[in-house]
Amino acid sequence: MSVPVDTRVPWVAMYHSVGDCSDDPYRITVTPERLDRQLTWLARRGLRGVSVAELLAAPDRRRLVGLTFDDGYADFVTGALPVLREHRCTATLFVLPGRFGGDNAWDPLGPRKPLLTADGVRRAAAEGIEIGSHGLTHTDLTRADDLTLKAETAESRTVLADLLGTDVAGFCYPYGTVDARAVAAVRDAGYRYACAIDPGPLNGPHALPRVHVGQNDHTVRLFLKYRLHGLRRRPVEGL
């Protein structure tokens, strides 16, 4: 079944961890099997998952869906990457260069999940995955002072560019929280786009809305999320 989509409201799916979801109080984990079914759903509708950079650069976005994975969990290379490869999909992985090799210490509940090391990030990039910044340390930018805000945006981009030897185009706001000051800092740091969740009144390539996709998103829920996204969101200015 074909699903109409407004190309001015690009559909970007937000994932986090891909692995064991038996202890998952924040609903941030999908199993590899569920991810496989979700990507199969896309493929059967003539849709293909791509990185956000590829999505935004495409002259025709009608058959493209942005795939994003936040936080840079170590299970991306073991759980997500093989499934993406099987479906010939790319994605954007937003990582925390100030926490390479650490864990999700910002989550007070649930299990400690290891994060990718610098070598793991390089491996993902070598597999064709776009690497973006999620800030240095997963700090809420709307509550950061000026020095912290600059470090979380500009410094994190510099660290990633040095690590990968390439430009870093994308940023993702930790916790999805964003305000005009955070948008300005991200833009001034040189990012070409930034992902939020619900950016509210903010609009443009540095305040892209996304849709959470989780373990409970089966066929019907995916269809509704995909279809309603274009109806609930305003067209993104500047695309």
Side-chain angles (χ1 to χ4, degrees):
M1 176 174 53
S2 176
V3 184
V5 61
D6 186 341
T7 59
R8 300 170 302 167
V9 191
W11 203 77
V12 182
M14 177 181 67
Y15 290 93
H16 289 79
S17 173
V18 181
D20 178 12
C21 61
S22 59
D23 185 6
D24 189 33
Y26 296 104
R27 298 186 300 112
I28 63 168
T29 308
V30 299
T31 63
E33 295 77 17
R34 177 62 70 187
L35 177 62
D36 176 70
R37 294 189 190 104
Q38 292 166 344
L39 297 185
T40 297
W41 182 89
L42 293 179
R44 287 176 177 170
R45 281 143 189 85
L47 302 169
R48 182 168 64 91
V50 297
S51 69
V52 178
E54 183 176 346
L55 175 70
L56 298 182
D60 185 353
R61 305 187 189 101
R62 286 176 294 179
R63 294 295 174 185
L64 300 179
V65 170
L67 300 179
T68 62
F69 293 80
D70 291 8
D71 301 334
Y73 290 104
D75 60 26
F76 179 83
V77 297
T78 56
L81 198 53
V83 181
L84 293 169
R85 190 187 302 121
E86 180 180 349
H87 286 270
R88 299 182 179 179
C89 291
T90 59
T92 300
L93 175 65
F94 292 113
V95 301
L96 298 156
R99 292 188 183 271
F100 285 157
D103 61 29
N104 57 331
W106 60 89
D107 285 335
L109 303 176
R112 295 301 92 198
K113 286 179 171 284
L115 305 177
L116 288 167
T117 64
D119 285 342
V121 173
R122 289 194 194 96
R123 176 182 171 187
E127 293 277 355
I129 299 300
E130 180 193 15
I131 305 298
S133 172
H134 202 24
L136 274 178
T137 60
H138 207 283
T139 295
D140 183 346
L141 300 190
T142 66
R143 300 182 178 183
D145 60 36
D146 289 346
L147 287 177
T148 301
L149 185 60
K150 185 173 182 179
E152 293 289 329
T153 55
E155 185 178 333
S156 67
R157 184 169 185 258
T158 298
V159 172
L160 285 178
D162 289 344
L163 174 70
L164 301 170
T166 187
D167 181 44
V168 177
F171 187 88
C172 175
Y173 300 100
Y175 305 103
T177 55
V178 58
D179 57 16
R181 176 170 165 265
V183 168
V186 168
R187 186 188 298 114
D188 291 346
Y191 297 97
R192 294 195 293 276
Y193 74 83
C195 290
I197 300 175
D198 180 359
L202 300 170
N203 199 315
H206 292 89
L208 296 173
R210 293 184 297 167
V211 177
H212 170 263
V213 178
Q215 180 68 10
N216 294 328
D217 287 320
H218 46 71
T219 299
V220 174
R221 287 171 60 95
L222 276 179
F223 173 81
L224 290 174
K225 286 187 174 184
Y226 185 81
R227 181 64 185 273
L228 293 176
H229 176 72
L231 300 175
R232 291 175 173 172
R233 303 294 190 185
R234 294 172 294 156
V236 177
E237 298 170 0
L239 294 186

